[in-house]
Amino acid sequence: MADSVPAPGPLSDVRVLDLAGEAGVFAGRLLADLGADVIRVEPPQGSAVRRRSPFLDDVAGLERSLYHLHFNANKRGITLDISRPEGIDLLRRLAAVSDAVIETAPPGEMDALGAGYEDLRAANPALLYVTITPFGQQGPLRNYRGNDLVGAASSGLMYLNGEPEDPPNQPGAEQAYHMASLVAASALLMALYGRDRRRPPSGHRIDVSLQEAASMATLQTASANYYTWYRRVPQRRGLSVFGGRHLFQCAEGRWVSFVIMPYRWDDFVRWLRDEGIESEVCGEEWRDPAFRAQRPGAATPAIAELASRHPRDYLFHEGQKRLISVQPVNDVSDILEDPQLRSRDAFVRYEVEGREMLDSGPVPRMSATPLSLWRQAPRLGEHNEEVYGGLLGLSAARISALRDGGVI
């Protein structure tokens, strides 16, 4: 990683002020990966993101949070106390030379500070102002507090996770936060395109709700009509789907997903016969999709026996060779060793505090503007001189005075 090389990318002429907490810090990372100049704005004591575990060597510290190191990579970083009038003045000046702001404060909090949408818009009429909150800026729950767990629960996503006989389960890896950040980043990209087509360019507000973003996984499928038409609430399916299991344990105890597409039924039966597995589903009548549809789950015992005979990797490659959708259920160690991801250079290694850091690089592969993870997450206030001096033209003495006064 060489952080002295400007990031190439399609957003290289876009500047974003990132004041987001956990709910939206991923949005800034996505935009930074695309080449935007994302300036992470933190209070002088550091944001809460820096206090998230796990830490390097399990030792807590503002520069040691793996959460911070991952989600703030490719960004610049400054400190600014926006609870003070001098801080608000500097934020407005920064907004005047930026394209967008992302924040996750409760509704009205930034307005009360004098740093809300209307305040910053006065400094820059073309500014795009993105908020990510648990329930959005309007509605009876707008002032209710929440986090990723609340987003998953309130969206219905949690209700669908787990085994039917168990309580609802929390989806892994902060899915509500990630969905909200994906919505925020994609909406901001569309807003940038639309704004720059207007003459003169004019900005606007983008309001993202965790509940609404996560509900995409719950309602924006057939599930909503399944309820409105039949008054049936979709339930947790656990290992089953459409009446049959889709996850199977292999000979060594690991797992594969095993899906038989309707047009690959003969290939599946051929595999059973090659293995000498006797099953009613090998009969001629089972070649009829309508016949099979009336008997969901009938193939489960045969697949379970097949899976139990072989290691996971054999089933994966043999299944794919037979054009059947068999896929290992990977954990993190599998992902890091995955030959496909390695061949695409999905991971980047660099040094932090004397330790080798492994991180995921930008996901899109763009032929004209290749993306890279070229700048590690900023140390606290690392770019104060660069931003306040370079962007706002403050003198070294003024920057020093602001630092001594606790404003930055």
Side-chain angles (χ1 to χ4, degrees), residues 23 26-27 30 130-132 175-191 206-210 212-216 220:
F26 182 44
L30 291 168
V130 183
T131 58
I132 302 174
Q175 293 305 311
Y177 281 170
H178 282 69
M179 290 183 194
S181 284
L182 286 166
V183 170
S186 57
L188 180 56
L189 293 177
M190 290 183 278
I206 300 168
D207 171 15
V208 177
S209 146
L210 279 181
E212 206 168 345
S215 73
M216 287 191 300
Q220 294 188 18

Side-chain angles (χ1 to χ4, degrees), residues 200-280:
S202 60
H204 54 266
R205 183 171 197 152
I206 300 168
D207 171 15
V208 177
S209 146
L210 279 181
Q211 179 189 32
E212 206 168 345
S215 73
M216 287 191 300
T218 309
L219 292 178
Q220 294 188 18
T221 63
S223 296
N225 287 322
Y226 191 71
Y227 173 73
T228 57
W229 290 343
Y230 310 115
R231 293 296 168 186
R232 298 174 189 164
V233 176
Q235 300 296 313
R236 294 179 292 285
R237 290 172 170 169
L239 298 180
S240 300
V241 62
F242 302 128
R245 285 177 59 188
H246 59 95
L247 294 177
F248 295 87
Q249 199 157 24
C250 310
E252 81 279 45
R254 295 192 287 180
W255 294 82
V256 290
S257 64
F258 198 111
V259 178
I260 310 165
M261 302 304 291
Y263 51 89
R264 292 297 173 200
W265 182 259
D266 288 348
D267 298 303
F268 166 63
V269 170
R270 191 174 302 113
W271 194 359
L272 293 182
R273 287 173 174 158
D274 290 346
E275 290 280 342
I277 295 174
E278 295 184 1
S279 169
E280 62 170 333

Side-chain angles (χ1 to χ4, degrees), residues 56-58 64 350-358:
L56 279 170
D57 299 322
D58 292 325
R64 306 181 69 85
Y350 56 95
E351 189 171 293
V352 175
E353 303 288 327
R355 291 292 305 273
E356 183 183 75
M357 177 81 180
L358 179 67

